[in-house]
Structure formats: C-alpha cells, structure tokens
Amino acid sequence: ADQSRAWQRWRDWQKSVGIDSDPFLRGFASADKHKLLGAFAMAVRNGRFSGDLQHPLAESTVRNSISYVAQTFRDHGERNPTKDEDGETSRLLQRLFRGLKNDDPNKRQQKALPVCVLRELAKRKFTEHETAVKQLAIGAFFFACRSCEYLLVPAAHTRRTTTLTLGNIRFFRQGAPLAHTQHDLDTADCVNLTFVFQKKDQKHDSVSQRASGDAVMCPVKQWAALVQRIHNYPGTSDNTTV
C-alpha cells in the first residue's frame, strides 16, 4: 500500500511538471534523474499530496517515498534512479536528505507507562471487557508490543504487521511445551510469542519472557489467563487473534 501510494504521487507529480509520458525517466541522464527526484522529494516534504498539512513531513517520510519509487523502478527492470555510476546514493540526494533531517524538529519522546498504572488497571476486572484490557495491557507490556501487534487498529488491512494469534503463544515448563488446555498453564516458567511479520520486515521473530513470580505483573500469568479466556469462546482456534 505504501509503495503504490508513493508511486501514484510520483505519477501525479510527473503530470504536474509535464513529464508523465516517461514514468521511468528513460529519456533522462542520471544527473537529471537525481534532480527530478530531489524536486519530487521537496513536493512530498511540503505536503503537496497530503491535504491540509500544518507542518512539513519528516525527512524519514520523504526518504521512504523516494525509496518506494525507486523500488517500483527496480520491480519493472529499471535501474535504481537514486544511484550514481558507483552504485551509491547520489550526492545531491544525500545532501538533500541531510538538510531535511537537520531541519526536522526534535522528536518528542513518549514517557513509558509506569507499573503502578498497570497495577491499578488490574484491579478493574468486573466485566469481560475490563478483564481483557488488563490481560492485554500487562501481557503486551513485557514484550514492548506495538499496538497493531495485539489490537485491532484503524486500517489494519493495510499494515504489514500481523496481529498475534493464539497459535503464536507458547508456554514451557523446564523446556517442555505445555498445551493451552493444561489446567495449571499459569504455573509455566516461560511464555514465548512469535511475531509472524513486523514493521521492520523481520519474520517469525520469537521472544520469550520468564515468569516473574509477581501475582499481577507476570507475563506468564497474564498471557495464560488471556489464552484460556479466549479458548472458552465458541469457534476459537489457533488462528483466533488475541
């Protein structure tokens, strides 16, 4: 989706400057291709394709747009238009990206959610919904999960990240796997999550956390409770999302 959107913006920009008859710039020398890509990058930066934009787009967004356009060139058997004769990113584009990054505002770091908030959240378990929120919030906390990895988020079908399913969650005791139906699943000494596909393009990344011994702030207890709660729902399978 991101690549096709970037390509459509490239084609729209080409039309606006009168070169839409040559989508892959076959009639231009390498140096001219770099200048044209630089001009397109500035159009992206200034939000020409982003509606009512209050601030310029970040350097990383502009760089990704150029990368997606270059990837489309490659997908059609064309040379990467961002490269020079030595196979390196052109000096012009390097300087452009460096300048954009220097002009970007400082990132505002989000504060981590303190454990005391999660403990308070755990006290709210009067309804099925509150129980589910508690289990997901605490379980995800130990794995630093992105929201799209364990929640239904807007436009989920356009995202590359795959939501966790019950089949992605495994429990072990002394190295031996435990079935989800085991009555003492919450006494396992380890829980393992497999992230099938992530934003960083890493596939089947498995991460393990050991039991903490805490009655509430324990990844094993929370994921075990979550798995067994969902398995009690009719029609549940290993493909059911968390």
Side-chain angles (χ1 to χ4, degrees):
D2 290 338
Q3 183 174 338
S4 61
R5 181 165 54 248
W7 183 251
Q8 185 58 55
R9 289 174 174 174
W10 166 248
R11 297 294 289 131
D12 290 343
W13 180 83
Q14 284 189 302
K15 186 175 182 179
S16 72
V17 296
I19 57 171
D20 53 311
S21 62
D22 190 3
F24 298 108
L25 305 180
R26 292 171 179 146
F28 294 87
S30 292
D32 293 326
K33 291 179 182 179
H34 303 156
K35 293 175 183 176
L36 290 170
L37 286 169
F40 171 65
M42 291 307 301
V44 174
R45 170 76 160 186
N46 294 328
R48 184 182 298 183
F49 313 100
S50 304
D52 187 16
L53 189 69
Q54 300 297 321
H55 304 284
L57 294 178
E59 179 269 345
S60 58
T61 301
V62 177
R63 183 188 289 267
N64 286 340
S65 294
I66 298 299
S67 295
Y68 287 134
V69 169
Q71 182 60 52
T72 304
F73 271 65
R74 297 294 303 278
D75 291 344
H76 286 79
E78 303 288 337
R79 291 187 58 186
N80 187 330
T82 68
K83 303 295 185 181
D84 57 22
E85 288 74 11
D86 297 324
E88 302 291 337
T89 301
S90 78
R91 296 292 298 275
L92 184 148
L93 292 175
Q94 287 184 39
R95 290 195 296 268
L96 174 63
F97 293 142
R98 189 181 309 118
L100 296 182
K101 189 170 186 178
N102 289 338
D103 287 341
D104 279 348
N106 293 330
K107 291 183 179 179
R108 298 178 62 181
Q109 300 293 340
Q110 292 183 326
K111 294 182 179 180
L113 192 67
V115 172
C116 62
V117 172
L118 294 173
R119 289 192 182 279
E120 287 299 316
L121 183 65
K123 297 176 183 178
R124 300 179 58 84
K125 51 183 178 181
F126 303 106
T127 67
E128 187 83 357
H129 179 264
E130 288 176 340
T131 298
V133 169
K134 175 203 71 169
Q135 293 167 351
L136 280 170
I138 298 177
F141 171 81
F142 282 94
F143 290 86
C145 291
R146 300 180 180 90
S147 59
C148 56
E149 291 173 336
Y150 67 101
L151 297 174
L152 179 62
V153 297
H157 64 284
T158 66
R159 296 174 180 267
R160 292 179 294 170
T161 303
T162 304
T163 307
L164 287 167
T165 67
L166 295 184
N168 301 141
I169 307 169
R170 296 179 297 162
F171 298 86
F172 299 88
R173 183 184 295 124
Q174 296 181 351
L178 303 177
H180 285 179
T181 55
Q182 196 151 326
H183 72 280
D184 59 347
L185 190 63
D186 63 340
T187 64
D189 52 34
C190 174
V191 58
N192 175 277
L193 303 188
T194 298
F195 299 92
V196 175
F197 195 76
Q198 296 176 292
K199 185 177 180 180
K200 59 184 179 180
D201 286 342
Q202 188 166 349
K203 297 182 179 181
H204 299 286
D205 183 22
S206 290
V207 183
S208 297
Q209 291 285 354
R210 298 191 66 81
S212 67
D214 189 282
V216 174
M217 295 302 297
C218 175
V220 170
K221 291 184 182 299
Q222 296 298 339
W223 283 107
L226 179 146
V227 164
Q228 295 191 324
R229 171 179 58 80
I230 296 177
H231 270 300
N232 285 329
Y233 299 151
T236 298
S237 70
D238 282 349
N239 293 323
T240 301
T241 58
V242 299

